[in-house]
Amino acid sequence: MLRLAASGFRDPMSGLDDNARFASVVMPHIDDAYRLAHWLTGSRTDAEDVVQDASLRAFRAIRGFAGGSARAWVLSIVRNTAYSWLHKNRPAAVVTVDDLEAVELAQANPGDPDAPTPEATLIAKADAEHLRAAIAALPPPFRETLVLRDIEGLDYREIAEATEVPIGTVMSRLARARRRLIATIEGEAS
Amino acid sequence: MSEATSDNNSVLLVHAYLDGELDAANALGIAQRMSAEPALAAEGERVSALKTLIHERLPRESAPPGLHARIEASIGGVRSQRARPSWRALAASIALTAVVASSSTWIIFGPQPENTVADSLVSDHIRSLMASEPTDVASSDRHTVKPWFNGRIPESPRVVDLAKVDFPLVGGRLDVIGQTPVPTLVYRHAKHLISLTEIPAESHIELARMPRTINGYNLVHWTENGVSYWAISDLALPQLEQFAQLFRTNPAEL
């Protein structure tokens, strides 16, 4: 037994292994975590607090990481931490998904191809500041989906894991988020 | 309705196509539809333009310098496995916490297992390191720090001026154990922050069973005049014990 233990059969429950796992699973994604937290809270200071809090949560839960995309796992913790933080500190900023989906359903079909549409060339002229503001103004479920795809570059499956929704929901949220952004940019350009 | 749904699905497929999420057969299918249907083609152009815009105008920001180090320091022990001087320095700038308690007015401690108290204090300590300020009241003046506790808790803690012996006071804060607020003083030694906390000593803690280290933080505990004192830090144990000794032997601020 002792020989086994000494020859690489280290106890996976030991603190050392947790630290090693944390270093390999969580630490490579701190920049991604920070960016997502920044987009969700709208503040660098708050983003730092959220990432630190999320890191501790991730450390405590590190044995629950069962493989798959480490980045999606880390970002899902960051996301949940950010929403808890917002709920506690800025309850007015939190829109529940149910409210949101109801609003969306009440509005025109976001996939209506006959809706008035801006020119692609108009979109290309938007400046960074307006773009940033337009993303920040998206409701959180749309914003997180768009940020994870178009800024962080996660694939749909990873976004589904990180945001805990089916891939179909990821797809419709992403399309809606992009359409809202495009409409905002068009509104400002015209 | 079914037509609208079908159109909506086509739109989603255009997005998925541009995101590289479709297999060859589906990609071919939607590419053919885009070339045949102007509405879908226009959607594709807008989405492409938006993706390009985001990519070009919004550079991906890195986490602020020091965040990695603070996270690694707060996790504790990670620093022992990898030798990166930058976070060793930062990990060293952590704190020493001592806990001071008094009288029997605070009732919660009797039934608390002592490790819960120790764990709770280490958690408070780690949290304070992650906050923008490790203290609720930041002052090196014991005449400012001690009165701050008045009105917040039944008795303000014993405050000792140790600046002359290289342990200047940084400030104080309230920590919570169970549901009871306890006073914590924060001192500093060189680059290390030091926190010192007081708890009522009625819980008959057996020193032999006390952990000396939790999550990489050293603990020193002693009891005096019915008050239980706790020191927590990543400082080396001898220095932590030196701090405890100085705190015990120097006269308290009245």
Side-chain angles (χ1 to χ4, degrees):
Chain A
M1 283 303 282
L2 282 174
R3 289 186 65 87
L4 265 184
S7 62
F9 259 78
R10 282 192 294 167
D11 176 6
M13 307 297 274
S14 77
L16 200 68
D17 276 14
D18 282 356
N19 287 330
R21 280 197 211 181
F22 183 85
S24 66
V25 170
V26 180
M27 289 311 292
H29 306 297
I30 294 301
D31 283 340
D32 307 82
Y34 173 76
R35 282 192 294 269
L36 178 62
H38 188 187
W39 280 111
L40 293 182
T41 62
S43 145
R44 290 190 169 83
T45 316
D46 296 344
E48 281 197 58
D49 289 349
V50 164
V51 171
Q52 295 203 3
D53 189 8
S55 299
L56 276 188
R57 292 193 196 189
F59 182 68
R60 291 195 205 100
I62 195 73
R63 289 173 208 157
F65 174 62
S69 168
R71 183 167 59 160
W73 185 77
V74 170
L75 292 178
S76 87
I77 294 172
V78 169
R79 168 187 176 273
N80 289 328
T81 307
Y83 287 138
S84 308
W85 190 95
L86 285 171
H87 192 73
K88 188 174 146 203
N89 294 287
R90 287 197 237 126
V94 179
V95 180
T96 72
V97 176
D98 290 344
D99 294 345
L100 191 71
E101 308 271 313
V103 168
E104 282 298 312
L105 284 175
Q107 289 174 348
N109 181 347
D112 180 3
D114 295 330
T117 54
E119 299 280 331
T121 48
L122 255 182
I123 296 168
K125 287 180 188 161
D127 65 47
E129 196 183 323
H130 285 117
L131 179 61
R132 203 181 292 278
I135 295 173
L138 290 171
F142 294 174
R143 196 190 322 149
E144 67 182 5
T145 308
L146 181 112
V147 164
L148 290 173
R149 172 62 227 171
D150 286 339
I151 296 176
E152 292 303 311
L154 268 65
D155 62 34
Y156 288 6
R157 187 184 45 77
E158 288 180 301
I159 299 170
E161 281 176 31
T163 58
E164 296 162 355
V165 294
I167 284 188
T169 305
V170 170
M171 292 174 73
S172 69
R173 285 183 182 174
L174 184 58
R176 287 167 174 178
R178 285 169 172 166
R179 288 194 153 222
R180 279 176 175 236
L181 272 192
I182 288 167
T184 306
I185 290 167
E186 179 204 31
E188 279 165 0
S190 61
Chain B
M1 188 63 199
S2 67
E3 192 180 339
T5 304
S6 148
D7 284 345
N8 195 23
N9 283 342
S10 304
V11 168
L12 298 188
L13 283 176
V14 169
H15 286 253
Y17 170 66
L18 295 170
D19 286 331
E21 293 276 349
L22 297 184
D23 60 28
N26 278 308
L28 181 63
I30 196 68
Q32 284 172 344
R33 286 196 56 193
M34 283 167 73
S35 59
E37 299 174 34
L40 286 182
E43 175 83 7
E45 280 173 26
R46 288 191 300 274
V47 171
S48 292
L50 180 67
K51 284 164 67 80
T52 304
L53 182 74
I54 291 173
H55 183 72
E56 287 178 354
R57 303 284 159 82
L58 296 183
R60 306 206 314 162
E61 192 180 2
S62 295
L67 181 60
H68 287 78
R70 283 197 298 281
I71 288 167
E72 277 162 337
S74 71
I75 295 313
V78 177
R79 58 190 175 277
S80 64
Q81 295 180 24
R82 291 157 62 182
R84 273 216 240 139
S86 61
W87 15 289
R88 291 208 166 198
L90 267 144
S93 70
I94 301 187
L96 167 67
T97 307
V99 185
V100 190
S102 109
S103 89
S104 54
T105 34
W106 309 336
I107 31 174
I108 205 75
F109 301 103
Q112 286 265 349
E114 40 282 7
N115 274 10
T116 308
V117 174
D119 286 339
S120 173
L121 288 168
V122 169
S123 299
D124 286 336
H125 176 68
I126 291 170
R127 249 199 309 281
S128 79
L129 298 177
M130 300 193 324
S132 52
E133 291 292 331
T135 56
D136 295 328
V137 52
S139 172
S140 59
D141 182 0
R142 61 196 187 283
H143 302 296
T144 302
V145 173
K146 189 174 169 74
W148 181 84
F149 287 102
N150 290 334
R152 290 182 168 82
I153 47 175
E155 289 181 44
S156 56
R158 184 172 187 263
V159 181
V160 181
D161 184 359
L162 297 174
K164 292 193 198 78
V165 285
D166 204 18
F167 288 94
L169 186 63
V170 174
R173 68 169 183 272
L174 288 178
D175 286 336
V176 176
I177 296 176
Q179 292 160 352
T180 306
V182 294
T184 297
L185 303 174
V186 180
Y187 287 86
R188 185 170 52 226
H189 182 60
K191 288 179 180 173
H192 301 254
L193 281 179
I194 300 167
S195 311
L196 174 66
T197 312
E198 276 188 21
I199 316 182
E202 58 188 290
S203 54
H204 309 296
I205 290 163
E206 294 171 42
L207 284 176
R209 289 169 55 198
M210 289 308 304
R212 303 306 299 269
T213 300
I214 293 180
N215 262 4
Y217 295 95
N218 289 319
L219 278 76
V220 171
H221 168 267
W222 73 95
T223 300
E224 204 167 309
N225 296 331
V227 174
S228 167
Y229 294 81
W230 296 69
I232 300 166
S233 175
D234 72 331
L235 266 182
L237 206 48
Q239 286 175 290
L240 193 57
E241 283 169 343
Q242 185 203 359
F243 169 77
Q245 193 58 33
L246 288 166
F247 187 86
R248 297 177 73 167
T249 52
N250 277 272
E253 170 64 23
L254 294 176

